[in-house]
Amino acid sequence: MPPDQPHILVFDTAAAHCAAAILCGEQLLAQRIEPMKTGQAERLLPLLEELLAGEGLVWADLAALGVGIGPGNFTGLRMGVSAARGLALALGIPAVGITALEMRAPAKGQAIITLPAGRGHAYQQHFEHGVATAEPEVIEASLAPEATAPDLHRMGLLVLARMGTASAAPAPLYLRAADAAPGADAPPVILDAG
């Protein structure tokens, strides 16, 4: 690759995985997707350092970061976005948030991308030539949980296309309220001091 091509690091922790890739321009240099239900917070930075070292790169070689912003697991989203924002600030480079729906949208033609959201719901968004034509929404639909990994190459291409226009720090995309169940423990009893 010519030295004038930017190196981009992308990663996603929004689902049951810790995934990362490095691109040089439009070429995917390396990627790793490690399935895991928990432990992304402990694994992410070592994984990123391993990818960089494997390509003979250091943090200062990066021109931009990309991070998956969801929809997805609340804790995974917060952790990934926080890591991207912190790294971008420390390195003085842009961080670009990419949704899971955008990662799956084809670059050509029209598409409706639908992802399982659990509990009889799904996330859905309309795209034309890879660009969203409507806001993402939550619909009633029962879809099997998705076992496919994020398209990190597509994510990197989207980051590359948005590098000059990215201004705001990435933020998690929450399309519905947290679905944590209320605690089962009885509330504490307050004793009367009298």
Side-chain angles (χ1 to χ4, degrees), residues 150-176:
D151 185 345
L152 298 172
H153 186 234
R154 170 96 172 120
M155 185 182 190
L157 296 177
L158 290 168
V159 170
L160 186 62
R162 296 179 189 170
M163 276 176 54
T165 61
S167 58
L173 174 65
Y174 302 123
L175 295 179
R176 65 179 190 171

Side-chain angles (χ1 to χ4, degrees), residues 39-141:
Q40 290 94 330
E42 294 82 8
R43 182 67 184 125
L44 180 61
L45 289 176
L47 174 66
L48 299 180
E49 289 180 339
E50 290 167 13
L51 277 177
L52 288 168
E55 294 302 313
L57 300 171
V58 295
W59 292 104
D61 293 326
L62 299 175
L65 299 169
V67 63
I69 60 169
N73 173 292
F74 179 82
T75 303
L77 289 176
R78 305 270 310 166
M79 191 273 307
V81 168
S82 296
R85 292 175 77 164
L87 287 168
L89 182 63
L91 298 170
I93 60 175
V96 179
I98 306 294
T99 72
L101 297 156
E102 292 173 304
M103 274 188 251
R104 289 159 175 84
K108 296 183 181 180
Q110 295 181 342
I112 299 173
I113 305 300
T114 306
L115 297 174
R119 298 187 179 183
H121 291 91
Y123 305 114
Q124 187 174 78
Q125 191 169 21
H126 297 253
F127 290 87
E128 189 168 328
H129 302 297
V131 177
T133 58
E135 292 296 316
E137 59 185 337
V138 178
I139 61 169
E140 288 189 29

